[in-house]
Amino acid sequence: QVQLVESGGDLVKPGGSLRLSCAVSGFNFGDYYISWIRQAPGKGLEWISYIGSSENIVDYADSVKGRFTISRDNGKNSVFLQMDSLRAEDTAVYYCARDQAPSAMSWYFDLWGRGTLVTVSS
Amino acid sequence: EVVLTQSPTTLSLSPGQRATLSCRASQSVRRYLAWYQQKAGQAPRLLIYDSSNRASGVPARFSGSGSGTDFTLIISSLEPDDFAVYYCQQRNNWPLTFGGGTKVEIK
């Protein structure tokens, strides 16, 4: 089955850390760019990071740069998001999403996971 | 960054009616704009990319148009399954940005 499944969301205190995982199945994971996109409660969507087919191709939104780190393990068909120095404004559902174009970049997202909730609160 | 402004915020219509959703960009994004549908508690679904191309499996009642700064999503005849929130997204300028959404609700 073609799918992305996020996990790792939790309640964490401000300043804390969390690691999210995105497990991929049903397609050739190594061919695709994967992004993390978040949605704060009742709000719109915010792209925060992507990783290319190799780990040296990454980028981040300014809102998370220097605090979040994206990585991937092609052997485990997984993408990870290490989140450090968390703030209340990081509270959101975090989705991983697949780029529409294999072996290229369309920067549109044709497959999304169901999301994992991260709550940052004391 | 490119700011995408969607209007109206809420659209109240009945099944069978035509829905017209607007997305305006703060600067030209050429034709590099997509539309997504999101139902409550679900992930977004890609409907339209590059302004007017329907994604795989998307019904023909969904159509997109526009270029530059003004874009439109039309749902020609609303089905019960179409009541949801719709977002636009541009990929012409970095960072990628999304609009604030238009909720299509049952009147």
Side-chain angles (χ1 to χ4, degrees):
Chain A
Q1 186 177 2
V2 178
Q3 62 180 2
L4 305 169
V5 179
E6 303 92 338
S7 62
D10 204 348
L11 171 63
V12 62
K13 289 181 168 50
S17 298
L18 209 55
R19 188 187 195 220
L20 305 184
S21 299
C22 171
V24 168
S25 59
F27 63 92
N28 192 350
F29 173 65
D31 285 346
Y32 288 86
Y33 281 48
I34 303 291
S35 283
W36 287 96
I37 296 163
R38 68 184 179 184
Q39 186 170 35
K43 302 294 185 182
L45 299 161
E46 179 189 15
W47 171 85
I48 57 170
S49 183
Y50 82 81
I51 188 164
S53 51
S54 63
E55 285 205 307
N56 61 343
I57 304 173
V58 300
D59 203 359
Y60 303 91
D62 286 347
S63 58
V64 306
K65 197 171 289 185
R67 301 188 298 123
F68 291 11
T69 304
I70 192 170
S71 61
R72 69 190 290 160
D73 184 335
N74 285 346
K76 294 184 178 179
N77 280 9
S78 293
V79 174
F80 308 99
L81 188 69
Q82 176 67 39
M83 310 164 67
D84 298 319
S85 303
L86 282 161
R87 306 167 180 166
E89 54 264 37
D90 296 318
T91 294
V93 174
Y94 284 72
Y95 296 100
C96 58
R98 183 184 78 173
D99 192 283
Q100 184 188 29
S103 303
M105 303 156 287
S106 78
W107 305 117
Y108 301 127
F109 307 104
D110 70 338
L111 182 66
W112 298 61
R114 297 177 69 101
T116 187
L117 177 62
V118 173
T119 303
V120 184
S121 174
S122 54
Chain B
E1 77 177 39
V2 175
V3 176
L4 298 177
T5 302
Q6 292 188 240
S7 62
T9 304
T10 304
L11 198 51
S12 298
L13 295 169
S14 301
Q17 286 192 294
R18 177 185 178 97
T20 302
L21 287 67
S22 173
C23 177
R24 177 162 289 177
S26 60
Q27 60 187 274
S28 176
V29 297
R30 296 188 284 174
R31 291 185 59 82
Y32 297 128
L33 188 111
W35 291 92
Y36 297 84
Q37 175 194 66
Q38 186 178 33
K39 299 177 186 175
Q42 297 185 21
R45 171 196 179 196
L46 178 65
L47 297 176
I48 301 286
Y49 65 96
D50 288 346
S51 178
S52 60
N53 297 310
R54 272 190 300 276
S56 176
V58 175
R61 64 181 181 273
F62 292 92
S63 63
S65 63
S67 64
T69 60
D70 290 301
F71 298 86
T72 302
L73 173 70
I74 291 176
I75 310 171
S76 59
S77 177
L78 282 164
E79 299 277 338
D81 193 48
D82 299 337
F83 292 92
V85 180
Y86 292 82
Y87 294 96
C88 55
Q89 176 234 325
Q90 66 82 25
R91 68 134 179 144
N92 188 66
N93 296 80
W94 207 254
L96 306 175
T97 51
F98 291 84
T102 290
K103 180 179 182 180
V104 179
E105 65 175 23
I106 299 176
K107 187 173 182 180

